[in-house]
Amino acid sequence: MIITPKTRGFICTTAHPIGCAKNVENQIHAVKAKGAYKGPKHVLVIGASTGYGLASRIAATFGAGAKTIGVFFEKPSEGGRTASPGWYNTAAFETLAHQEGYYAKSINGDAFSKEIKKQTMALIKQDLGSVDLVIYSLASPRRVHPDTGEVFSSCLKPIHQPFIGKSVDPLRREIKDVHLDPATEEDVLNTVQVMGGEDWAMWMDALASEDLLAEGVISMAYDYIGPELTHAIYKNGTIGKAKDHLYKTAMELNKTLEKYHGQAFLSVNKALVTQASAAIPVVPLYISILYKIMKEAGTQEGCIEQLARLLKDKIYSGKPIELDPAGRIRMDDYEMESGVQQKIKALWPKVTTENLATLTDIDGYCKEFYQLFGFEVPGIDYGMDVSVDVKIPSLSLRQFPRE
Ligand code: NAD
């Protein structure tokens, strides 16, 4: 079938398997171009199919030759409908990893659940024995609590005061005003339940109790801080409270991992177009301006450049890991450079619908947005008839290991 993008709000409901595969291939090339490094051997990535998690998996595999198990929640194709992009990404990733002789297996299901943790533990036990890097890169709108069955939905709201400001509808290319009412206490609690660190800690507890953590194990989750312009909605909003909890969890995990001589931390990453960030008010406009400035400065990075640099130059460089005073790795260094931020601040009030294309990189934003779903990828013939039914090798073959 011929697949075209169909958008609804800030998501695209179709995905192109060949375009997604090409994206993965491009990311693999970027990692190889950066060069091999002595890194982790057995890696578990939770949230491994898109964005930062997928880039983590690719950088660990094709940079350090690591064996990876990836956990994610994606939809296969059904009734002629396309699969989700993360499904196609993983199908391509596994195929290319296997072709080069790398171990790569995946688990598709709700990472918050006990069942998926159980399946993952059994697979690690059977195939790897232990893991020396655990990356927690989930971005989810909801969580069913594994103990109580209670359903929590996260939200992106300011706290204490309403937010009135501007944002962009990138696909319509329109500047619009946003007005967001402040979060209730319940909104904050719910968002912390979904995007905070409780589930990360549950994963680490499960791995520790099954004796699956290797000596020197590293575990990390991803954070975002950003500039003042986005603080009301991000750092000081509901999502920021969840990230505070994630930070607290990292500090606690650090103590737990002492007995393995291991470490847990947050890596503060750069703002990038992903399915998760597209949903945050204000952020798409900020990213559109940021991309313009960083491309002009020659410092623009995508998920894969961030992850290749994080793993090769920061964590596995052979030198002590450089942390900020709060104990976090800073991968937002180029984004937060004062020259970059000053230019963004100066442009921000001037941007209107009319000058959007010249003052910002809205074209780059939109292109990357469509590329997340496998569209607008150079070198792909979109008039081509393609099959939507693509298998993820390890999922179509695997018998779940017995406990
Ligand atoms: P993303 O939407 O691209 O990826 C989310 C991943 O989580 C996917 O693999 C998805 O399948 C998986 N997932 C979601 N719900 C799941 C569930 N219930 N069970 C199993 N898997 C599930 O998101 P992203 O932007 O790469 O975000 C990953 C992390 O990076 C988040 O913590 C985010 O806050 C952080 N981060 C993002 C940015 C950014 O600009 N995008 C910047 C800094 C930090």
Side-chain angles (χ1 to χ4, degrees):
M1 105 189 207
I2 291 170
I3 309 166
T4 53
K6 292 204 171 67
T7 55
R8 200 177 52 218
F10 47 75
I11 59 157
C12 182
T13 55
T14 51
H16 200 283
I18 315 289
C20 288
K22 183 73 180 162
N23 284 336
V24 170
E25 216 181 295
N26 291 343
Q27 292 201 35
I28 293 171
H29 285 154
V31 170
K32 287 183 175 173
K34 174 127 177 107
Y37 61 96
K38 195 168 173 298
K41 292 190 169 56
H42 295 163
V43 182
L44 170 63
V45 183
I46 303 149
S49 53
T50 56
Y52 274 118
L54 173 67
S56 309
R57 196 176 189 190
I58 293 174
T61 304
F62 290 91
K67 296 183 176 184
T68 65
I69 291 177
V71 179
F72 47 77
F73 209 176
E74 300 294 344
K75 276 200 202 104
S77 127
E78 221 185 320
R81 294 230 303 269
T82 67
S84 56
W87 180 275
Y88 291 141
N89 290 341
T90 305
F93 165 77
E94 277 199 11
T95 305
L96 294 166
H98 297 165
Q99 271 169 18
E100 297 199 23
Y102 298 122
Y103 170 100
K105 287 190 184 175
S106 305
I107 290 178
N108 187 32
D110 183 4
F112 296 126
S113 70
K114 288 186 179 172
E115 177 55 30
I116 287 298
K117 289 188 178 71
K118 213 160 97 185
Q119 285 181 22
T120 311
M121 300 305 132
L123 188 60
I124 296 172
K125 208 178 278 179
Q126 174 190 274
D127 288 0
L128 307 181
S130 63
V131 285
D132 56 357
L133 176 62
V134 181
I135 292 177
Y136 189 81
S137 186
L138 284 193
S140 175
R142 65 197 278 281
R143 174 178 178 217
V144 180
H145 198 282
D147 295 330
T148 61
E150 204 176 333
V151 181
F152 298 100
S153 294
S154 66
C155 65
L156 296 153
K157 289 189 184 173
I159 296 177
H160 301 314
Q161 286 155 4
F163 173 80
I164 301 162
K166 72 186 198 189
S167 189
V168 69
D169 181 334
L171 304 183
R172 289 170 181 245
R173 290 164 191 258
E174 274 171 18
I175 292 291
K176 53 178 194 181
D177 291 328
V178 274
H179 181 120
L180 295 166
D181 288 330
T184 61
E185 244 171 68
E186 203 187 343
D187 288 333
V188 176
L189 289 175
N190 287 350
T191 308
V192 171
Q193 274 293 332
V194 182
M195 289 298 286
E198 187 185 45
D199 184 58
W200 182 20
M202 284 178 168
W203 273 97
M204 296 309 290
D205 280 351
L207 288 160
S209 65
E210 298 279 335
D211 203 16
L212 298 174
L213 294 175
E215 176 68 14
V217 63
I218 286 176
S219 186
M220 68 176 164
Y222 298 138
D223 189 7
Y224 182 69
I225 297 176
E228 191 95 35
L229 271 173
T230 61
H231 281 182
I233 203 70
Y234 202 101
K235 181 172 172 286
N236 300 332
T238 48
I239 181 74
K241 288 285 174 228
K243 293 296 184 188
D244 290 347
H245 189 267
L246 202 64
Y247 174 75
K248 217 174 96 221
T249 307
M251 296 301 118
E252 284 160 10
L253 285 175
N254 234 329
K255 287 189 209 122
T256 324
L257 295 184
E258 266 171 18
K259 72 174 192 193
Y260 304 92
H261 302 105
Q263 255 178 298
F265 40 74
L266 297 188
S267 171
V268 182
N269 293 354
K270 169 187 185 296
L272 277 170
V273 184
T274 64
Q275 290 182 65
S277 70
I280 308 174
V282 183
V283 167
L285 178 58
Y286 169 71
I287 293 180
S288 303
I289 306 177
L290 176 74
Y291 273 25
K292 183 174 172 68
I293 308 296
M294 290 187 78
K295 284 179 185 175
E296 282 169 6
T299 54
Q300 168 67 357
E301 295 178 309
C303 286
I304 199 63
E305 287 78 18
Q306 281 264 294
L307 255 297
R309 187 158 72 92
L310 172 60
L311 294 186
K312 185 175 179 188
D313 301 349
K314 301 267 182 183
I315 301 183
Y316 297 101
S317 67
K319 296 182 226 137
I321 303 170
E322 230 178 84
L323 301 172
D324 72 4
R328 302 164 298 206
I329 297 188
R330 299 305 292 256
M331 295 304 297
D332 60 346
D333 42 1
Y334 302 151
E335 170 180 349
M336 297 309 291
E337 267 173 13
S338 67
V340 169
Q341 288 302 326
Q342 271 164 23
K343 285 183 185 162
I344 297 174
K345 217 169 157 183
L347 280 175
W348 188 268
K350 296 184 189 151
V351 179
T352 61
T353 299
E354 291 67 39
N355 62 24
L356 190 61
T358 45
L359 294 193
T360 79
D361 185 24
I362 192 71
D363 291 340
Y365 183 97
C366 289
K367 190 173 180 164
E368 276 197 26
F369 174 81
Y370 283 113
Q371 285 179 343
L372 296 175
F373 303 88
F375 300 104
E376 295 197 24
V377 180
I380 303 299
D381 172 7
Y382 289 101
M384 183 173 50
D385 197 10
V386 292
S387 165
V388 292
D389 187 17
V390 176
K391 303 263 179 287
I392 294 178
S394 74
L395 292 184
S396 54
L397 296 174
R398 190 165 69 251
Q399 303 284 311
F400 280 110
R402 284 173 203 276
E403 282 166 68

Coordinates of all heavy atoms in Angstrom, one line a residue, residues 46-53 71-74 109-112 136-142 195 222-224 234 239 243 246 267-277 283 287 303, ligand 1:
I46 N 14.8 0.7 28.8 CA 13.4 0.7 29.0 C 12.9 2.0 28.3 O 13.2 3.1 28.7 CB 13.1 0.7 30.5 CG1 13.8 -0.5 31.2 CG2 11.6 0.7 30.8 CD1 14.2 -0.3 32.6
G47 N 12.1 1.8 27.3 CA 11.6 2.9 26.4 C 12.6 3.0 25.2 O 13.1 4.0 24.9
A48 N 12.8 1.8 24.6 CA 13.9 1.6 23.6 C 13.5 1.8 22.1 O 14.4 1.6 21.3 CB 14.4 0.2 23.7
S49 N 12.3 2.2 21.8 CA 11.9 2.2 20.4 C 11.9 3.5 19.7 O 11.8 3.5 18.4 CB 10.4 1.6 20.4 OG 9.6 2.3 21.2
T50 N 11.9 4.6 20.4 CA 11.9 5.9 19.7 C 12.8 6.9 20.5 O 13.2 6.5 21.6 CB 10.5 6.5 19.6 OG1 9.9 6.6 20.9 CG2 9.5 5.7 18.8
G51 N 13.0 8.0 20.0 CA 13.6 9.1 20.7 C 15.0 8.8 21.3 O 15.8 8.1 20.7
Y52 N 15.1 9.2 22.6 CA 16.4 9.0 23.3 C 16.7 7.6 23.6 O 17.8 7.2 23.7 CB 16.4 9.9 24.6 CG 16.9 11.3 24.3 CD1 16.0 12.4 24.5 CD2 18.1 11.5 23.8 CE1 16.5 13.7 24.3 CE2 18.6 12.8 23.5 CZ 17.7 13.9 23.8 OH 18.2 15.2 23.5
G53 N 15.6 6.8 23.9 CA 15.9 5.4 24.2 C 16.4 4.6 23.0 O 17.3 3.8 23.1
V71 N 12.8 -2.7 25.9 CA 11.4 -2.8 26.3 C 10.7 -1.5 25.8 O 11.2 -0.4 25.9 CB 11.3 -2.8 27.9 CG1 9.9 -2.9 28.4 CG2 12.1 -4.0 28.4
F72 N 9.5 -1.7 25.3 CA 8.7 -0.6 24.8 C 7.3 -1.0 24.7 O 6.9 -2.1 24.9 CB 9.3 -0.1 23.4 CG 9.5 -1.3 22.5 CD1 8.5 -1.9 21.8 CD2 10.8 -1.8 22.3 CE1 8.7 -3.0 21.0 CE2 11.1 -2.9 21.5 CZ 10.0 -3.5 20.8
F73 N 6.4 0.0 24.3 CA 5.0 -0.3 24.2 C 4.6 0.2 22.8 O 4.4 1.4 22.6 CB 4.3 0.5 25.3 CG 3.0 -0.1 25.7 CD1 2.2 0.4 26.7 CD2 2.5 -1.3 25.1 CE1 1.0 -0.2 27.1 CE2 1.3 -1.9 25.5 CZ 0.6 -1.3 26.5
E74 N 4.6 -0.6 21.8 CA 4.3 -0.2 20.4 C 3.2 -1.1 19.8 O 3.0 -2.2 20.3 CB 5.6 -0.3 19.6 CG 6.7 0.6 20.1 CD 6.4 2.1 20.0 OE1 5.5 2.5 19.3 OE2 7.1 2.9 20.6
G109 N 5.4 -4.3 25.6 CA 4.3 -4.3 26.6 C 4.4 -3.2 27.6 O 5.4 -2.4 27.5
D110 N 3.5 -3.2 28.6 CA 3.5 -2.1 29.5 C 4.7 -2.2 30.6 O 4.6 -3.1 31.5 CB 2.2 -2.1 30.2 CG 2.1 -0.9 31.2 OD1 3.0 -0.1 31.2 OD2 1.0 -0.8 31.9
A111 N 5.7 -1.4 30.4 CA 6.9 -1.5 31.3 C 6.5 -1.2 32.8 O 7.2 -1.6 33.6 CB 7.9 -0.4 30.8
F112 N 5.4 -0.6 33.0 CA 5.0 -0.3 34.4 C 4.4 -1.6 35.1 O 4.3 -1.6 36.3 CB 3.9 0.8 34.4 CG 4.3 2.1 33.9 CD1 3.6 2.8 32.9 CD2 5.4 2.8 34.5 CE1 4.0 4.0 32.5 CE2 5.8 4.0 34.0 CZ 5.1 4.7 33.0
Y136 N 16.7 4.2 31.6 CA 15.3 4.4 31.8 C 14.8 5.6 31.0 O 15.1 6.7 31.4 CB 15.0 4.5 33.3 CG 13.5 4.5 33.6 CD1 12.8 3.3 33.7 CD2 12.8 5.7 33.8 CE1 11.5 3.3 34.0 CE2 11.5 5.6 34.1 CZ 10.8 4.4 34.2 OH 9.5 4.4 34.5
S137 N 14.2 5.3 29.8 CA 13.8 6.4 28.9 C 12.4 6.4 28.5 O 12.0 6.6 27.4 CB 14.7 6.3 27.7 OG 14.5 7.4 26.8
L138 N 11.5 6.2 29.5 CA 10.1 6.1 29.2 C 9.5 7.5 29.1 O 9.9 8.4 29.9 CB 9.3 5.4 30.4 CG 9.3 3.9 30.5 CD1 8.3 3.5 31.5 CD2 9.1 3.2 29.2
A139 N 8.6 7.7 28.2 CA 7.8 8.9 28.2 C 6.4 8.4 27.9 O 6.1 7.9 26.9 CB 8.2 9.9 27.1
S140 N 5.5 8.6 28.9 CA 4.2 8.0 28.8 C 3.1 8.9 29.3 O 3.4 9.7 30.2 CB 4.1 6.7 29.6 OG 2.9 6.1 29.6
P141 N 1.9 8.9 28.7 CA 0.9 9.8 29.2 C 0.1 9.2 30.4 O -0.5 9.9 31.2 CB -0.1 9.9 28.0 CG 0.2 8.7 27.2 CD 1.6 8.3 27.5
R142 N 0.3 7.8 30.6 CA -0.5 7.2 31.7 C 0.3 6.0 32.3 O 1.2 5.5 31.7 CB -1.9 6.8 31.3 CG -2.0 5.8 30.3 CD -3.3 5.7 29.6 NE -4.3 5.0 30.4 CZ -4.4 3.7 30.4 NH1 -3.6 2.9 29.7 NH2 -5.3 3.1 31.1
M195 N 5.6 10.1 35.5 CA 6.9 10.4 34.9 C 8.0 10.6 36.0 O 9.1 10.9 35.7 CB 6.8 11.7 34.1 CG 6.0 11.6 32.8 SD 6.9 10.4 31.6 CE 8.3 11.4 31.1
Y222 N 16.6 10.2 31.9 CA 16.9 11.4 31.2 C 16.0 12.6 31.7 O 14.8 12.4 32.0 CB 16.6 11.2 29.7 CG 17.6 10.2 29.1 CD1 17.1 9.3 28.1 CD2 18.9 10.2 29.4 CE1 18.0 8.3 27.6 CE2 19.8 9.3 28.9 CZ 19.4 8.4 28.0 OH 20.2 7.4 27.5
D223 N 16.6 13.7 31.8 CA 16.0 14.9 32.4 C 16.1 16.0 31.4 O 16.8 16.0 30.4 CB 16.8 15.3 33.6 CG 16.1 16.3 34.5 OD1 15.0 16.7 34.2 OD2 16.7 16.8 35.5
Y224 N 15.2 17.0 31.6 CA 15.3 18.3 30.8 C 15.1 19.5 31.7 O 14.3 19.4 32.6 CB 14.3 18.3 29.7 CG 14.4 19.6 28.9 CD1 15.5 19.7 28.0 CD2 13.5 20.6 28.9 CE1 15.7 20.9 27.3 CE2 13.7 21.8 28.2 CZ 14.8 21.9 27.4 OH 14.9 23.1 26.7
Y234 N 7.6 23.8 32.0 CA 8.4 22.6 32.1 C 9.0 22.5 33.5 O 8.5 21.8 34.4 CB 9.5 22.5 31.0 CG 10.0 21.1 30.9 CD1 9.5 20.3 29.8 CD2 10.8 20.5 31.8 CE1 9.9 19.0 29.7 CE2 11.2 19.2 31.7 CZ 10.7 18.4 30.6 OH 11.0 17.1 30.5
I239 N 5.5 18.5 35.0 CA 6.5 17.6 34.5 C 7.8 17.8 35.3 O 8.6 16.9 35.6 CB 6.7 17.7 33.0 CG1 7.8 16.8 32.5 CG2 7.0 19.1 32.5 CD1 7.4 15.3 32.4
K243 N 10.2 15.3 37.3 CA 11.7 15.2 37.1 C 12.4 15.4 38.5 O 13.4 14.8 38.7 CB 12.1 16.2 36.1 CG 11.7 16.0 34.7 CD 12.2 14.7 34.1 CE 11.8 14.5 32.7 NZ 12.1 13.1 32.1
L246 N 12.3 12.1 39.9 CA 13.3 11.2 39.2 C 14.7 11.5 39.8 O 15.5 10.6 40.0 CB 13.2 11.6 37.7 CG 13.7 10.6 36.7 CD1 12.8 9.3 36.7 CD2 13.7 11.1 35.3
S267 N 20.9 12.2 33.2 CA 21.5 13.0 32.1 C 20.6 14.0 31.7 O 19.4 13.7 31.3 CB 22.0 12.1 31.0 OG 22.4 12.8 29.9
V268 N 21.0 15.3 31.8 CA 20.1 16.4 31.3 C 20.4 16.5 29.8 O 21.4 17.0 29.4 CB 20.4 17.7 32.1 CG1 19.4 18.8 31.6 CG2 20.3 17.5 33.6
N269 N 19.4 16.1 29.0 CA 19.6 16.1 27.6 C 19.0 17.4 26.9 O 18.3 18.2 27.5 CB 18.9 14.9 27.0 CG 19.6 13.6 27.4 OD1 20.7 13.7 28.0 ND2 19.0 12.5 27.0
K270 N 19.4 17.5 25.7 CA 19.0 18.7 24.9 C 17.5 18.6 24.4 O 17.0 17.5 24.3 CB 19.9 18.7 23.6 CG 19.5 19.6 22.5 CD 20.4 19.3 21.3 CE 20.1 20.3 20.2 NZ 18.8 20.2 19.7
A271 N 16.9 19.7 24.2 CA 15.5 19.7 23.7 C 15.5 19.2 22.2 O 16.3 19.8 21.4 CB 14.9 21.1 23.7
L272 N 14.7 18.3 21.9 CA 14.6 17.7 20.5 C 13.2 17.4 20.1 O 12.4 17.1 21.0 CB 15.5 16.4 20.5 CG 16.9 16.6 20.3 CD1 17.6 15.3 20.6 CD2 17.3 17.0 18.9
V273 N 13.0 17.3 18.8 CA 11.7 16.9 18.4 C 11.5 15.4 18.6 O 12.3 14.6 18.0 CB 11.5 17.2 16.9 CG1 10.1 16.8 16.4 CG2 11.9 18.6 16.5
T274 N 10.6 15.0 19.5 CA 10.3 13.6 19.6 C 8.8 13.6 19.8 O 8.1 14.6 20.0 CB 10.9 12.9 20.9 OG1 10.4 13.6 22.1 CG2 12.4 13.0 20.9
Q275 N 8.2 12.4 19.8 CA 6.7 12.3 20.0 C 6.4 12.9 21.4 O 5.3 13.6 21.5 CB 6.3 10.8 20.0 CG 6.4 10.3 18.6 CD 5.9 8.8 18.5 OE1 4.7 8.6 18.7 NE2 6.8 7.9 18.2
A276 N 7.2 12.7 22.4 CA 7.0 13.2 23.7 C 7.0 14.7 23.7 O 6.1 15.4 24.3 CB 7.9 12.6 24.7
S277 N 8.1 15.3 23.1 CA 8.2 16.8 23.2 C 7.2 17.5 22.4 O 6.8 18.7 22.7 CB 9.6 17.2 22.9 OG 9.9 17.1 21.5
V283 N 7.0 24.3 24.0 CA 8.3 23.7 23.6 C 8.5 23.6 22.1 O 9.6 23.9 21.6 CB 8.4 22.3 24.3 CG1 9.5 21.5 23.7 CG2 8.7 22.5 25.8
I287 N 11.8 25.0 20.4 CA 12.7 24.1 19.6 C 12.9 24.7 18.3 O 14.0 24.6 17.7 CB 12.2 22.7 19.6 CG1 12.2 22.0 21.0 CG2 12.9 21.8 18.6 CD1 11.7 20.6 21.0
C303 N 19.1 13.2 18.5 CA 19.1 12.2 19.6 C 20.4 11.3 19.5 O 21.1 11.1 20.5 CB 17.9 11.2 19.5 SG 16.4 11.9 20.1
Ligands
NAD1 P1 9.7 9.2 23.1 O1 8.2 9.4 23.1 O2 10.4 9.3 21.8 O3 10.0 7.7 23.7 C1 9.2 7.1 24.7 C2 9.5 5.6 24.8 O4 8.8 5.1 25.9 C3 9.1 4.8 23.6 O5 10.0 3.7 23.4 C4 7.8 4.1 24.0 O6 7.5 2.9 23.4 C5 8.1 3.9 25.5 N1 6.9 3.8 26.3 C6 5.9 4.7 26.6 N2 5.0 4.2 27.5 C7 5.4 2.9 27.7 C8 5.0 1.9 28.6 N3 3.9 2.0 29.3 N4 5.6 0.7 28.6 C9 6.8 0.5 27.8 N5 7.3 1.5 27.1 C10 6.6 2.7 27.0 O7 10.3 10.1 24.2 P2 11.7 10.8 24.4 O8 11.5 12.3 24.1 O9 12.8 10.1 23.9 O10 11.7 10.8 26.0 C11 12.5 9.9 26.7 C12 13.0 10.5 28.0 O11 13.9 11.6 27.6 C13 11.9 11.2 28.9 O12 12.2 11.0 30.2 C14 12.0 12.6 28.5 O13 11.5 13.5 29.5 C15 13.5 12.8 28.3 N6 14.0 13.9 27.6 C16 13.4 14.3 26.4 C17 13.8 15.4 25.7 C18 13.2 15.9 24.4 O14 13.4 17.0 24.0 N7 12.5 15.0 23.7 C19 14.8 16.2 26.3 C20 15.4 15.8 27.5 C21 15.0 14.7 28.1

